[in-house]
């Protein structure tokens, strides 16, 4: 039986939402709003005086990506070169729009892709590229972007996991950048996406026109999602409740997988089995838009950066212990989730949890993007070789420095112990 004081009171998941945000948006369920007013507020925060960029607010990143692909209307069979780690639904969005996603290797140190990789898979069928920044590591893609621009390719940035500030400086040569504010994302609004379209008024207007044909996602659905997220929010965010509830689950209900319950509670959408794209083809409901505007106005960049410095301290301990933290070589490193590569993730997971450290294995839908069926393109095997050994640590922006240091030291100790027991690891 584990003692309560042995339990580190954090989990690998954290909901970046405060109760005051929920209370301050309740009125929007009962009073109609002027959506244009709130979209303008978001535009002012994100764009300032920039005139060559437009903002589009959508239900999720998949919805915004689907919109831009509909508007571009590329010929069926066109190819899009994409980074080799993404969620399956994003790959599906590309395929269901008649496109062929061509994955390339993702470097474990930067979580980025080299220009040579993009050049290698470029062909006359290539219409665009999609650069995804995973785990908060925004690698320097300027060389890739400049090359793609010179080839006349449409450049998309999937920043679902790399939000760091609403007015963060973005590469002006990127045509389309899209950010997620889902349940476990930084600056969560329990849903919604903000996309930036650059230097293309016609494309923006076409996307808006398509979006206007959609019905609104119901307020009832958003309210149900909010209620569904409340239980994980209470369990994950409060140190006292996190520690005591985990003590109960571990000691009194050892066969109940509370982690699966938490993960399932925060999943985004019930998919339409007949047509997956119809799952996302809705406009945002009023309360979601009000929440997005509120979160943009109240996001504390200074506190966020202070939390990053604590997480970087943990990364240093892991690196000194000989472990790979994917994305560690990125200069301006941010974090979304906290991955570390270990030789034996399953055994390490079990030992850490027995010591009161709430490590996770299947916390995210991220996966390796498979090569097109029947093609000569290579499967991203190098990416798979480290991705399959990732363990997620209970470190996030709410975790204190002392706990982060303890977690990372214990991880190094456990991995070293397992190596001594099994030298082939």
């Amino acid at each position: 039986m584990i003692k309560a004081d042995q339990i580190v009171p954090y989990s690998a998941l954290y909901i970046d939402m405060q109760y005051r945000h929920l209370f301050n948006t309740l009125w929007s369920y009962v009073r109609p709003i002027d959506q244009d007013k709130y979209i303008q507020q978001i535009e002012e925060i994100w764009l300032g005086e920039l005139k060559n960029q437009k903002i589009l607010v959508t239900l999720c990143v998949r919805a915004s990506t689907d919109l831009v692909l509909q508007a571009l209307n590329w010929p069926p069979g066109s190819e899009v070169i994409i980074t080799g780690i993404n969620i399956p639904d994003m790959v599906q969005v590309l395929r269901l729009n008649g496109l062929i996603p061509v994955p390339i290797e993702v470097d474990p140190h930067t979580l980025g892709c080299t220009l040579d990789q993009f050049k290698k898979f470029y062909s006359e069928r290539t219409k665009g590229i999609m650069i995804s920044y995973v785990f908060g590591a925004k690698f320097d893609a300027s060389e890739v972007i400049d090359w793609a621009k010179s080839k006349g390719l449409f450049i998309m940035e999937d920043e679902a996991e790399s939000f760091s500030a609403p007015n963060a400086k973005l590469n002006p040569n990127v045509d389309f950048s899209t950010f997620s504010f889902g349940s476990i994302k930084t600056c969560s609004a329990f849903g919604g996406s903000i996309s930036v379209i650059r230097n293309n008024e016609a494309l923006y207007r076409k996307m808006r026109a398509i979006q206007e044909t959609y019905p609104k996602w119901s307020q009832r659905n958003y309210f149900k999602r909010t209620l569904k997220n409340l239980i994980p929010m209470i369990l994950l965010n409060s140190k006292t409740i996190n520690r005591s509830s985990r003590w109960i689950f571990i000691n009194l209900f050892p066969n109940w997988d509370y982690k699966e319950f938490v993960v399932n509670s925060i999943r985004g959408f019930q998919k339409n089995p007949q047509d997956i794209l119809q799952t996302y083809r809705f406009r945002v409901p009023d309360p979601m838009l009000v929440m997005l505007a509120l979160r943009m106005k109240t996001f504390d960049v200074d506190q966020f950066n202070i939390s990053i410095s604590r997480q970087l301290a943990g990364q240093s301990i892991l690196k000194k212990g000989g472990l790979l933290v994917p994305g560690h070589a990125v200069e301006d490193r941010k974090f979304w989730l906290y991955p570390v590569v270990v030789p034996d993730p399953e055994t390490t997971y079990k030992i850490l949890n027995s010591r009161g450290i709430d490590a996770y294995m299947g916390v995210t839908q991220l996966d390796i993007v498979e090569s097109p069926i029947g093609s000569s393109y290579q499967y991203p095997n190098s990416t798979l070789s480290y991705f399959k050994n990732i363990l997620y640590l209970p470190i996030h922006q709410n975790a204190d420095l002392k706990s982060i240091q303890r977690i990372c030291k214990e991880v190094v100790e456990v991995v070293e112990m397992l190596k001594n027991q099994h030298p082939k690891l």
Side-chain angles (χ1 to χ4, degrees):
M1 179 175 282
I2 192 170
K3 295 180 180 177
D5 60 4
Q6 291 177 278
I7 295 176
V8 179
Y10 302 111
S11 297
L13 289 175
Y14 168 70
I15 296 182
D16 185 17
M17 170 78 74
Q18 296 182 26
Y19 296 108
R20 61 185 174 92
H21 297 132
L22 299 175
F23 290 125
N24 288 340
T25 54
L26 281 175
W27 62 269
S28 61
Y29 286 96
V30 295
R31 207 165 75 213
I33 69 160
D34 178 0
Q35 284 215 350
D36 288 340
K37 171 188 168 185
Y38 288 91
I39 290 171
Q40 186 178 354
Q41 287 179 9
I42 294 171
E43 284 179 340
E44 288 172 356
I45 295 168
W46 275 68
L47 303 181
E49 300 300 317
L50 294 172
K51 301 298 182 186
N52 64 334
Q53 302 187 20
K54 295 290 185 180
I55 287 287
L56 197 65
V57 179
T58 63
L59 197 62
C60 60
V61 160
R62 285 152 285 182
S64 56
T65 304
D66 175 47
L67 264 178
V68 76
L69 295 177
Q70 288 183 78
L72 289 166
N73 195 28
W74 288 326
S78 297
E79 295 181 352
V80 180
I81 304 174
I82 67 173
T83 42
I85 299 175
N86 212 316
I87 63 169
D89 284 358
M90 282 292 280
V91 180
Q92 277 286 81
V93 167
L94 288 164
R95 288 178 176 152
L96 291 173
N97 275 280
L99 307 175
I100 299 174
V102 179
I104 57 177
E105 298 284 7
V106 178
D107 179 80
H109 304 287
T110 64
L111 288 173
C113 307
T114 65
L115 177 56
D116 286 343
Q117 284 278 305
F118 279 91
K119 286 181 175 179
K120 180 179 178 181
F121 292 105
Y122 171 75
S123 75
E124 70 277 358
R125 296 182 298 276
T126 307
K127 295 294 183 183
I129 66 171
M130 178 183 284
I131 302 168
S132 298
Y133 304 108
V134 295
F135 300 129
K138 190 168 181 179
F139 68 97
D140 183 3
S142 55
E143 189 180 35
V144 172
I145 291 167
D146 291 345
W147 168 81
K149 203 73 176 173
S150 73
K151 293 292 184 182
L153 300 177
F154 189 81
I155 304 165
M156 297 176 276
E157 282 184 321
D158 171 6
E159 300 221 30
E161 300 174 11
S162 58
F163 175 81
S164 60
N167 57 352
K169 188 177 180 182
L170 304 175
N171 191 311
N173 286 327
V174 173
D175 299 295
F176 171 79
S177 302
T178 184
F179 298 79
S180 173
F181 301 96
S183 297
I184 59 170
K185 294 297 194 300
T186 302
C187 195
S188 173
F190 288 164
S193 169
I194 295 174
S195 299
V196 181
I197 300 99
R198 296 179 190 81
N199 308 310
N200 199 329
E201 179 81 20
L203 178 65
Y204 165 74
R205 290 185 179 278
K206 196 170 182 181
M207 292 172 69
R208 277 289 302 268
I210 295 169
Q211 188 184 42
E212 287 300 317
T213 67
Y214 296 170
K216 271 188 187 178
W217 205 54
S218 75
Q219 293 187 174
R220 184 168 174 267
N221 282 338
Y222 185 61
F223 187 66
K224 280 171 62 179
R225 177 183 290 183
T226 300
L227 291 178
K228 199 176 175 186
N229 279 290
L230 270 178
I231 295 175
M233 184 173 165
I234 292 167
L235 291 175
L236 298 172
N237 290 16
S238 165
K239 290 170 65 174
T240 303
I241 296 174
N242 183 292
R243 176 178 275 136
S244 56
S245 61
R246 281 171 51 215
W247 183 91
I248 292 169
F249 298 149
I250 293 167
N251 292 320
L252 304 184
F253 303 97
N255 295 321
W256 184 54
D257 191 348
Y258 68 91
K259 295 181 184 182
E260 185 178 357
F261 165 77
V262 170
V263 170
N264 288 337
S265 295
I266 56 180
R267 288 284 185 241
F269 292 91
Q270 293 292 325
K271 295 175 191 172
N272 183 329
Q274 273 71 47
D275 187 346
I276 292 173
L277 293 180
Q278 294 305 322
T279 305
Y280 316 120
R281 289 179 175 174
F282 291 91
R283 289 179 289 134
V284 296
D286 290 354
M288 183 185 284
L289 183 58
V290 172
M291 178 66 82
L292 277 167
L294 176 65
R295 297 298 278 122
M296 295 308 108
K297 285 188 283 188
T298 58
F299 184 72
D300 192 328
V301 177
D302 292 335
Q303 283 301 314
F304 176 73
N305 288 331
I306 290 170
S307 74
I308 293 297
S309 66
R310 296 196 296 268
Q311 294 174 74
L312 286 170
Q315 178 177 273
S316 296
I317 294 170
L318 294 169
K319 284 174 63 181
K320 286 176 184 175
L323 296 178
L324 170 63
V325 180
H328 70 90
V330 171
E331 187 174 337
D332 188 20
R333 179 70 160 110
K334 303 292 191 291
F335 292 88
W336 178 76
L337 300 182
Y338 206 95
V340 61
V341 177
V342 296
D344 183 352
E346 191 167 340
T347 306
T348 307
Y349 163 85
K350 289 177 181 176
I351 295 172
L352 287 174
N353 277 270
S354 71
R355 295 185 178 192
I357 295 173
D358 203 28
Y360 278 52
M361 291 180 70
V363 73
T364 173
Q365 297 180 66
L366 282 174
D367 206 347
I368 301 298
V369 180
E370 295 190 5
S371 303
I373 296 172
S375 75
S376 60
Y377 295 119
Q378 299 169 353
Y379 188 88
N381 286 307
S382 296
T383 305
L384 178 64
S385 66
Y386 69 85
F387 187 82
K388 67 183 181 181
N389 282 6
I390 285 179
L391 192 66
Y392 298 95
L393 303 182
I395 296 173
H396 46 69
Q397 59 180 287
N398 204 34
D400 64 84
L401 180 59
K402 186 176 179 181
S403 295
I404 290 173
Q405 290 171 331
R406 176 192 159 184
I407 292 165
C408 293
K409 287 174 182 176
E410 294 238 23
V411 172
V412 171
E413 181 185 309
V414 169
V415 170
E416 195 61 37
M417 178 186 73
L418 290 174
K419 280 184 178 178
N420 291 333
Q421 292 175 358
H422 309 281
K424 290 185 179 181
L425 279 178

